Every structure is written in C-alpha cells, then in structure tokens.
Amino acid sequence: MAIISLTTDFGEKDHFAGAIKGAIYSETEDVKIVDISHSVSPFNVQEAAYILKNAYKNFPKGSIHVYGVDSERHPENRHIAVLLDDHYFVGADNGVVSLVAGERIPEKIVEINIYNDLDTIFPSMDVFVKVACHIARGGTLEVVGKPIAELKSLKTFIPIVNTEQDLVTGHVIYVDNYGNVVTNISRQLFENIRKGRDFELYARNYRFEKIYNKYSDIVNFAVEKPKRDDDGRRLAVFNSAGYVELAIYRSNLETVGGASSLLGLSYRDVVTIRFL
C-alpha cells in the first residue's frame, strides 16, 4: 500500500487539510495518508524544507511526499514532481526540494503539465493530489509532466564562510515547539572549518564557547539533584538533524520561555561562529 505524506502551512482550524485527505481517498482508497505537519509558518519554504528533510528519510522507499507551502502557480513558481533518494516529492518549485536534496542529485524532475483548462487557487488539492495518486497507482512521472534539468535553488540560505576560513555566518531557519532555535550551520560544515580550533558562537549579545552533543551534557550529574540549578540555562547543541541549535535546558514556553523568546531570536536572525 502506497504512503502519501502531507506537509503544509494550512493549520488545523480550516478545512484545507481535511479536504486534501478526502480528495486523495476519492482518487484511490488503497493508500495510507501520514500528516508530517500542517503547522509550517505561512509561505515559509525554509521551514517546510527543514521539517520535510528530517522526516522523509524515516519513511519507506517509494513514499510520496506532497508539500503545500507557497504553492500558487505563476511564471516564477512552476509545479514539479521529483524522484529523489527513492522518494517522490510533489509541490511547487520554490526551493523546498532543492533544500531537501542538499548535495544529492534527483533521479528525475518533471514540470507538471496536467492542467488543461484548470485554473485553481488550491493546487495542493486540484493538482498535487492527482499527481500523487497517479504515482501511488504505479504511474510514471513522464505521464504527468515534461522532464526539466534542475530545481530552483535558494542560495541565500547557505551559510557564508569568509576567505580566511575563520568566520561562519549563518541564520536561524527554524524555531521548534520548545522554542529551540535551529540554525543552518551543519555539524559537518562546523567540523570542516574548525580543524580543532577553539571558537566563539554569537547570537545577538549572547556568547557560547561550547557546543554539546546532547541537551543533558550541560548537567553535572556528580552534584546532588536538589543542589543543581540547570533548568533554564542556555546552551548550544548539535541537534538530531545535525545542525547547530540554541536551546534553554528543559524549557517550557508557558512558564520560563524558550531560546527564541529569552534570547530574542527569530527566523532569519544572524548567528556567527568565529574560530580562534
């Protein structure tokens, strides 16, 4: 049975997510639908890419991933279906798939051309669902689109390394449910540039001199628990996705707050690492 995942900025209040699921089942009942997220910030392709990139790899090969973020079709935002890493991605060519792909080269890319006289303001349901269900039934990409050579790339979201190789400038790309702030600086890039040197990480007026491998590394377990004062401490950590993340240990957005609110960081804010 084919799997179709959904990643959108539709939220939970409106009918859109439910309507898409109904449309999928109307096209084919022999399918499983998995919600990855419907809480992507509106039109935030970087956030959608981060969520999808870290979720899709846990699905079986051959899964179909529909992403409905910034999906309106116009001359600068064509619709595509892509075979990448033995997974299918259906959505707009707005940078999401190129960010998911990273250095990997897609096996196939087609520009969807099944519109005929269709003029829709809801392409996620009227176009992407039809393509996803076609693939789920065993159809090929060539039937729903014409091959194209490359994807739209978002170079502005790539960290910048200076010519002296001692400064990396990145940005906040995601704020998670705990208020933790994820940057676009990967562990691999960090280690490649570091070469064993000490460093200082700066985010607004805050400085970090260490990046932990897990959140609890900040705790000194040799100290008796009643004497510890670790909750609410700020730290930098390599998260499970392999990116530098700024966090508040055991944060609670309803009480003490998270890194985003307490450090005053939000989407696209600058984070720098200087190697000494």
Side-chain angles (χ1 to χ4, degrees):
M1 182 178 290
I3 295 175
I4 297 178
S5 82
L6 302 174
T7 303
T8 77
D9 59 2
F10 297 157
E12 302 294 340
K13 178 181 179 180
D14 300 316
H15 66 279
F16 304 120
I20 284 182
K21 295 176 188 179
I24 291 173
Y25 285 129
S26 294
E27 287 275 341
T28 176
E29 296 181 0
D30 192 25
V31 68
K32 289 183 178 179
I33 302 174
V34 178
D35 297 298
I36 292 179
S37 177
H38 294 294
S39 299
V40 177
S41 299
F43 306 103
N44 192 328
V45 298
Q46 176 76 7
E47 187 172 290
Y50 178 81
I51 292 171
L52 186 53
K53 180 177 183 178
N54 292 296
Y56 91 86
K57 61 189 72 173
N58 297 292
F59 284 74
K61 299 291 186 181
S63 295
I64 305 152
H65 307 284
V66 173
Y67 58 96
V69 178
D70 189 25
S71 299
E72 186 174 352
R73 180 173 173 251
H74 53 72
E76 296 178 354
N77 204 35
R78 59 191 175 182
H79 292 159
I80 55 173
V82 181
L83 177 60
L84 168 70
D85 193 23
D86 293 325
H87 289 252
Y88 293 93
F89 297 85
V90 181
D93 188 19
N94 51 21
V96 168
V97 179
S98 68
L99 290 170
V100 170
E103 299 299 321
R104 292 186 298 271
I105 299 175
E107 293 96 297
K108 290 183 181 180
I109 313 171
V110 301
E111 180 178 358
I112 297 170
N113 61 3
I114 61 170
Y115 306 98
N116 296 323
D117 295 326
L118 178 66
D119 185 17
T120 176
I121 62 171
F122 195 3
S124 296
M125 184 173 72
D126 298 329
V127 178
F128 302 161
V129 162
K130 294 185 183 301
V131 173
C133 290
H134 166 77
I135 298 169
R137 291 190 294 265
T140 63
L141 296 187
E142 290 80 3
V143 171
V144 296
K146 61 180 181 180
I148 56 176
E150 59 185 16
L151 299 165
K152 181 178 181 180
S153 180
L154 295 180
K155 299 294 186 183
T156 55
F157 292 111
I158 299 175
I160 298 172
V161 181
N162 68 347
T163 54
E164 291 80 12
Q165 297 280 294
D166 62 4
L167 182 68
V168 176
T169 302
H171 296 85
V172 174
I173 59 172
Y174 186 67
V175 179
D176 71 12
N177 191 53
Y178 299 93
N180 298 330
V181 175
V182 180
T183 77
N184 61 348
I185 303 173
S186 69
R187 183 171 194 157
Q188 181 178 6
L189 174 64
F190 173 85
E191 297 295 354
N192 288 344
I193 302 299
R194 182 184 187 186
K195 295 181 172 59
R197 293 178 290 179
D198 292 332
F199 65 91
E200 294 176 337
L201 185 155
Y202 290 94
R204 289 199 178 272
N205 297 322
Y206 296 93
R207 182 171 66 123
F208 301 80
E209 296 179 330
K210 187 171 184 177
I211 302 177
Y212 294 96
N213 292 310
K214 57 181 186 292
Y215 303 101
S216 61
D217 283 347
I218 200 172
V219 179
N220 182 0
F221 289 99
V223 177
E224 294 181 16
K225 190 172 183 178
K227 297 181 180 179
R228 296 180 204 152
D229 188 22
D230 298 310
D231 290 8
R233 289 178 61 189
R234 56 182 170 85
L235 71 150
V237 64
F238 292 113
N239 68 12
S240 60
Y243 290 89
V244 175
E245 176 182 302
L246 306 181
I248 301 297
Y249 184 64
R250 297 181 68 85
S251 62
N252 186 329
L253 296 181
E254 295 182 358
T255 56
V256 299
S260 176
S261 58
L262 295 178
L263 304 183
L265 293 170
S266 57
Y267 177 62
R268 288 199 176 189
D269 281 350
V270 174
V271 175
T272 59
I273 301 178
R274 181 174 295 279
F275 297 95
L276 307 176

